[in-house]
Amino acid sequence: MAFSQPFPLAAPQTKSAKEPSFGPDLAVRLICPDCRDPNPHIVEEFGSGDLVCGNCGLVLGDRVVDTRSEWRTFANDEGDDPSRVGAASDPLMEGIEQLDTVISFRDGGSGMARELQRAASRSQNTRSERNILTAFRDISSWCDQFSLPKTISDIAKQLYKRSDEEKLLRGKPLDAVIAACIFIACRQAHVPRTFREICNLTHVSKKVLGQCYKALEQAFNLSPGATSTSHNSSSPTTGPETLLVRYCNHLDLPPNVQSICSDIIVAARKHGIADGRSPVSIAGGAIYFTCHLLGKVKSVRDISAVAGVSEGTIKLVYRLYYTDREKLVKQEWIDDGKAKLERLPFDSTK
């Protein structure tokens, strides 16, 4: 097969010195040098990377860049063809440009790169869009640090985008709004986290976080599982029983400790023992009580570090449980030899 370069049908006009050298001349039309057909049929063979004349088969060019998508698709039936570059589209970013243009810092010392970067940053996204992008990155980063699943990250992003569109928390710090969205997302996904844990993660004060949470709670008309009434210990989403799983895992306690501790908390609630205490305090005190009852002793310092409450609070809940220990401990546990009331120390400072 012969190989030749295509040549123009008519020579282009001479360009002046002021005209840019890279400007395309749309008057030029490529034809096959053998056929010389005024209406050429030139085919791009992407499989071989050649530019071929469709009439005589003469190769007019090689190493043609394939501009099609890099995977097979049935886009004609299911929608638009997937883009050749960029990540998968995010439905939360609808209406926002998701592809970025990065300008190199290398400009030979002329300073042109800095000016181009400023111009690109101003033209690509508006201020509100840049704030949303920044918030989404922070939500993903904090959820990863907290080992939270992607579903919680997506819920938090939806909450933030809605609050930003409706201007619910105008004037509040960005970190506080994000922290409130993550806290509500954890409630709605039944993966409860305490105010203290969220504050330690985001370094937001408890007062500001509570203000943002209350505002979002009223604006979104949240479900009972995510409202402030869920601080009641009867709520399945924020009760001390739901906190036992993480706390017992961090303390390397056997599974039977968690189940018995949960039964003790339910019995204490039934008899009104330690009512009014926070779920975190009840969970810490119940674990301390159950560990001594079963002979799996853990120090108050270890439990305090895991639960995030003071040692005095854990001891106070323990004293309340110890006073009514006969009401909390089932007789079958004692008969099976699992529990012994004699193991419970009278002085909780032990």
Side-chain angles (χ1 to χ4, degrees):
M1 180 182 295
F3 180 85
S4 176
Q5 295 290 339
F7 63 91
L9 179 64
Q13 298 178 356
T14 305
K15 300 180 182 180
S16 61
K18 297 182 180 179
E19 205 173 329
S21 59
F22 57 84
D25 191 348
L26 301 181
V28 175
R29 184 174 58 180
L30 300 180
I31 66 172
C32 176
D34 287 354
C35 300
R36 297 182 180 273
D37 188 352
N39 297 317
H41 178 55
I42 299 177
V43 181
E44 294 178 334
E45 295 289 345
F46 293 112
S48 59
D50 295 332
L51 192 66
V52 184
C53 176
N55 295 328
C56 64
L58 180 64
V59 177
L60 304 178
D62 59 351
R63 297 184 180 180
V64 178
V65 177
D66 189 355
T67 58
R68 300 175 301 174
S69 58
E70 299 180 15
W71 54 83
R72 294 187 60 190
T73 178
F74 302 95
N76 293 333
D77 299 331
E78 300 182 4
D80 296 335
D81 190 23
S83 175
R84 182 179 177 87
V85 296
S89 60
D90 188 353
L92 295 174
M93 305 288 291
E94 184 177 0
I96 301 177
E97 182 62 38
Q98 303 182 35
L99 297 179
D100 296 333
T101 300
V102 181
I103 299 176
S104 174
F105 288 95
R106 300 179 180 178
D107 56 1
S110 62
M112 183 63 67
R114 184 182 297 273
E115 298 298 329
L116 290 175
Q117 290 172 357
R118 291 177 180 176
S121 63
R122 289 193 297 265
S123 62
Q124 284 180 357
N125 303 110
T126 63
R127 182 177 180 180
S128 61
E129 292 177 352
R130 289 195 297 269
N131 291 339
I132 291 179
L133 294 174
T134 302
F136 282 7
R137 284 194 294 266
D138 292 342
I139 290 174
S140 300
S141 175
W142 283 344
C143 288
D144 291 341
Q145 295 178 22
F146 218 21
S147 299
L148 295 174
K150 188 177 183 299
T151 53
I152 294 180
S153 176
D154 293 340
I155 295 175
K157 291 177 181 179
Q158 292 176 358
L159 293 173
Y160 179 85
K161 186 176 182 180
R162 181 177 171 185
S163 65
D164 182 76
E165 292 175 349
E166 300 179 9
K167 308 297 182 183
L168 299 177
L169 297 173
R170 178 177 296 178
K172 295 294 183 181
L174 178 63
D175 294 347
V177 179
I178 294 175
C181 293
I182 294 177
F183 181 77
I184 296 175
C186 291
R187 291 287 184 88
Q188 292 183 342
H190 302 283
V191 185
R193 293 295 185 271
T194 63
F195 260 47
R196 187 188 302 272
E197 291 174 318
I198 299 296
C199 291
N200 293 336
L201 171 68
T202 59
H203 303 289
V204 176
S205 65
K206 189 175 181 180
K207 179 180 179 181
V208 178
L209 176 59
Q211 294 174 351
C212 295
Y213 169 71
K214 288 294 183 182
L216 294 178
E217 177 189 33
Q218 296 175 0
F220 295 159
N221 192 19
L222 299 177
S223 60
T227 60
S228 60
T229 58
S230 62
H231 288 284
N232 190 342
S233 58
S234 61
S235 174
T237 57
T238 57
E241 304 96 316
T242 59
L243 302 175
L244 293 177
V245 179
R246 288 190 295 120
Y247 293 171
C248 291
N249 288 338
H250 288 308
L251 292 170
D252 294 329
L253 294 173
N256 65 322
V257 174
Q258 175 185 335
S259 59
I260 294 177
C261 186
S262 179
D263 292 341
I264 291 175
I265 291 176
V266 174
R269 183 186 305 124
K270 180 179 179 181
H271 292 88
I273 303 173
D275 279 352
R277 299 290 173 182
S278 65
V280 181
S281 303
I282 294 176
I287 291 175
Y288 185 69
F289 180 88
T290 306
C291 288
H292 279 285
L293 182 67
L294 303 180
K296 309 291 184 182
V297 181
K298 292 289 181 179
S299 65
V300 182
R301 180 177 300 178
D302 294 340
I303 299 176
S304 174
V306 171
V309 294
S310 64
E311 299 179 11
T313 304
I314 295 176
K315 293 177 181 179
L316 178 59
V317 175
Y318 172 81
R319 293 192 191 100
L320 298 175
Y321 279 17
Y322 180 83
T323 303
D324 297 323
R325 56 189 180 278
E326 290 82 2
K327 299 179 182 179
L328 303 179
V329 181
K330 296 181 180 180
Q331 186 62 36
E332 60 185 47
W333 299 341
I334 299 177
D335 296 340
D336 294 341
K338 298 179 181 179
K340 291 184 181 181
L341 295 177
E342 296 80 9
R343 295 172 178 164
L344 296 175
F346 176 74
D347 186 2
S348 62
T349 59
K350 180 178 177 180

